[in-house]
């Protein structure tokens, strides 16, 4: 059932191009218009939404954090991302014009379920983005958008994360279409780019041996830091989470801009730091800011492990290792940039002789509060 792979996690990483492609499948009509058939919420209600709150835990919450950048950009609706267990106890401001989006692989996470119930009691509409059919959260939501990643067996989430981002992007584009925030041809162009992502994800996976070799050389690392900006920030958080849960190494993700506000004090000789570098062709100033961050930490002795876009020669002078990813629109880049981080965590854990499918103390679905 592992299909010749050494672990379910390895198989699921290799499933990712399919997970994304299948999540995109059948979402447009013959004219190219985005149709989300399972989204049974009145269009007038969706047009009147004035705030979106994503509720989720762990990796699913990071997918929401990525989606926030895209949905706000495309729809001009404010998006908050809140850990489901914090949401409930905060007395959140939620009403009929709030759309709550619950993201969950298992569909059973108790904290997320309680957040869904709380939101509906306040009159909000809830759409859940769920991977597991027949689970509880979709039954308690107003509508569901299924991710089609297939069953995820390994405790650490990989392909579900990519398909959650994909589904949340579909939702964002659908809302933009419905509310007239984007021209139909702009939406088609983004969908076209999304449909090209599975091929690029496959390329990143095929480049995995260099990542694995680097991970094997780092099996005695005591702490690894991860930096990113914009959509690279939640990618950094996810990279750190994967490393903690699989390799039991202290790992922390930061927004690169926070460095000088504290975390840079952690940098000393040989400290490994992953840096997710945005596309040089993306938003003005973003790329050069991250390059300066790499310079700053390198000057203080950090060992820099850089994820950069093919052809980005500006990173070369400051990178100890470079993991190249294909070119993509900035908003789509998390689907590529996270893959080397997943492979790194898996390979480092394997080098330490750990069980990557079943890390200690963790359960696949957390059905207690
Ligand atoms: C991390 C991981 C967890 C889950 C979290 C939410 O690899 O697997 O952080 O993402 O427990 O689970 P779901 O998505 O089932 O609600």
């Amino acid at each position: 059932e592992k299909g010749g792979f050494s672990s379910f996690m390895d198989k699921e990483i290799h499933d990712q191009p399919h997970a994304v492609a299948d999540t995109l499948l059948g979402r447009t009509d013959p004219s190219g218009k985005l149709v989300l058939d399972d989204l049974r919420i009145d269009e007038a209600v969706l047009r009147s939404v004035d705030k979106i709150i994503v509720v989720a835990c762990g990796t699913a919450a990071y997918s929401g954090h990525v989606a926030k950048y895209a949905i706000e950009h495309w729809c001009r609706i404010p998006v908050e991302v809140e850990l489901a267990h914090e949401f409930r106890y905060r007395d959140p401001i939620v009403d009929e014009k709030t759309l709550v989006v619950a993201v969950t692989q298992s569909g059973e996470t108790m904290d997320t379920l309680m957040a869904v119930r709380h939101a509906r009691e306040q009159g909000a509409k809830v759409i859940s983005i769920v991977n597991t059919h027949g689970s509880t959260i979709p039954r308690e939501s107003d509508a569901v958008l299924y991710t089609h990643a297939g069953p995820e067996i390994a405790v650490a989430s990989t392909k579900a994360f990519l398909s959650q981002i994909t589904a949340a992007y579909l939702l964002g584009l659908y809302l933009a279409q419905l509310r007239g925030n984007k021209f139909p041809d702009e939406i088609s162009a983004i969908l076209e780019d999304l449909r090209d992502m599975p091929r690029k994800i496959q390329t990143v996976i095929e480049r995995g041996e260099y990542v694995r070799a680097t991970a094997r050389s780092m099996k005695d690392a005591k702490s690894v830091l991860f930096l990113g900006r914009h959509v690279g920030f939640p990618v950094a958080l996810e990279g750190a989470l994967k490393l903690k849960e699989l390799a039991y190494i202290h790992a922390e993700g930061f927004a690169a801009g926070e460095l000088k506000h504290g975390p840079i004090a952690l940098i000393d000789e040989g400290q490994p730091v992953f840096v997710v570098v945005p596309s040089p062709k993306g938003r003005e100033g973003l790329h050069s800011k991250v390059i300066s961050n790499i310079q700053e930490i390198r000057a203080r002795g950090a060992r820099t492990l850089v994820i950069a876009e093919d052809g980005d020669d500006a990173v070369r002078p400051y990178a100890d290792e470079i993991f190249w990813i294909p070119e993509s629109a900035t908003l789509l880049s998390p689907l590529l940039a996270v893959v080397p981080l997943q492979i790194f965590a898996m390979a480092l854990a394997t080098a330490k002789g750990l069980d990557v499918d079943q890390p200690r103390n963790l359960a696949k679905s957390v059905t207690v509060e």
Side-chain angles (χ1 to χ4, degrees):
E1 45 201 94
K2 289 181 200 160
F5 292 97
S6 57
S7 61
F8 282 108
M9 186 182 179
D10 196 18
K11 174 179 181 291
E12 287 160 11
I13 287 174
H14 283 80
D15 281 347
Q16 294 186 116
H18 278 295
V20 170
D22 291 350
T23 299
L24 290 169
L25 215 60
R27 310 283 197 184
T28 43
D29 71 9
S31 75
K33 190 168 168 242
L34 193 57
V35 281
L36 299 181
D37 281 334
D38 9 324
L39 222 63
R40 295 178 210 288
I41 297 181
D42 198 58
E43 291 195 355
V45 172
L46 290 177
R47 270 194 210 96
S48 70
V49 163
D50 65 4
K51 177 168 68 175
I52 295 174
I53 306 180
V54 179
V55 293
C57 304
T59 292
Y62 297 146
S63 78
H65 197 157
V66 170
K68 170 187 164 80
Y69 292 86
I71 297 176
E72 288 189 338
H73 181 69
W74 294 332
C75 305
R76 310 310 298 154
I77 306 172
V79 180
E80 292 171 32
V81 185
E82 181 121 21
L83 294 169
H85 34 90
E86 287 294 317
F87 173 76
R88 273 194 304 144
Y89 297 104
R90 184 174 60 89
D91 192 12
I93 301 163
V94 174
D95 60 26
E96 296 75 18
K97 289 189 166 176
T98 310
L99 178 65
V100 168
V101 179
V103 185
T104 169
Q105 188 288 128
S106 62
E108 299 294 350
T109 300
M110 186 55 78
D111 288 315
T112 308
L113 175 61
M114 297 312 257
V116 165
R117 286 185 183 158
H118 185 77
R120 291 189 78 198
E121 278 161 18
Q122 317 292 306
K125 289 282 184 246
V126 175
I127 297 178
S128 52
I129 293 179
V130 182
N131 196 46
T132 308
H133 284 256
S135 57
T136 308
I137 289 173
R139 277 204 304 275
E140 297 212 15
S141 306
D142 295 286
V144 55
L145 193 55
Y146 282 106
T147 49
H148 296 149
E152 194 179 62
I153 310 288
V155 165
S157 190
T158 53
K159 63 178 179 174
F161 179 66
L162 269 65
S163 66
Q164 283 158 352
I165 294 172
T166 306
Y169 278 20
L170 286 172
L171 176 63
L173 290 171
Y174 180 76
L175 292 173
Q177 173 179 280
L178 200 68
R179 300 158 63 99
N181 295 87
K182 281 237 166 281
F183 293 113
D185 54 335
E186 290 179 81
I187 294 178
S188 313
I190 300 167
L191 281 172
E192 213 36 61
D193 284 350
L194 263 170
R195 290 198 190 96
D196 204 22
M197 293 308 282
R199 183 181 63 82
K200 295 180 181 179
I201 297 165
Q202 183 62 35
T203 301
V204 182
I205 294 169
E206 282 163 13
R207 295 176 183 174
E209 184 44 37
Y210 181 55
V211 183
R212 286 191 289 272
T214 308
R216 287 193 291 268
S217 76
M218 289 173 64
K219 73 179 186 9
D220 299 321
K222 293 278 171 289
S223 154
V224 180
L225 306 179
F226 295 76
L227 297 179
R229 260 179 205 259
H230 192 261
V231 286
F233 171 35
V235 170
L237 296 173
E238 171 63 3
L241 179 61
K242 288 287 94 88
L243 195 60
K244 282 175 220 180
E245 54 183 351
L246 294 164
Y248 317 151
I249 290 177
H250 170 255
E252 238 182 302
F254 301 105
E258 274 295 288
L259 258 183
K260 56 184 168 301
H261 301 288
I264 201 163
L266 290 169
I267 308 292
D268 62 1
E269 201 54 42
Q271 170 68 51
V273 186
F274 274 91
V275 186
V276 181
V277 178
S279 168
K281 299 188 186 117
R283 180 179 285 254
E284 185 78 42
L286 201 58
H287 176 265
S288 59
K289 287 249 169 49
V290 177
I291 300 291
S292 347
N293 293 140
I294 307 178
Q295 274 175 275
E296 282 158 8
I297 56 171
R298 190 94 174 319
R300 289 164 178 81
R303 173 162 185 226
T304 55
L305 304 126
V306 172
I307 295 171
E309 198 173 271
D310 286 340
D312 183 1
D313 291 321
V315 300
R316 287 184 193 274
Y318 315 110
D320 292 297
E321 311 292 344
I322 308 177
F323 308 110
W324 296 107
I325 58 174
E327 284 185 34
S328 69
T330 302
L331 288 173
L332 305 190
S333 62
L335 297 171
L336 305 175
V338 75
V339 176
L341 302 181
Q342 298 168 336
I343 296 173
F344 179 81
M346 178 178 68
L348 204 152
T350 306
K352 289 178 79 168
L354 302 172
D355 179 347
V356 297
D357 286 338
Q358 203 59 257
R360 68 184 179 202
N361 308 341
L362 295 174
K364 183 64 185 163
S365 58
V366 183
T367 52
V368 291
E369 285 181 74

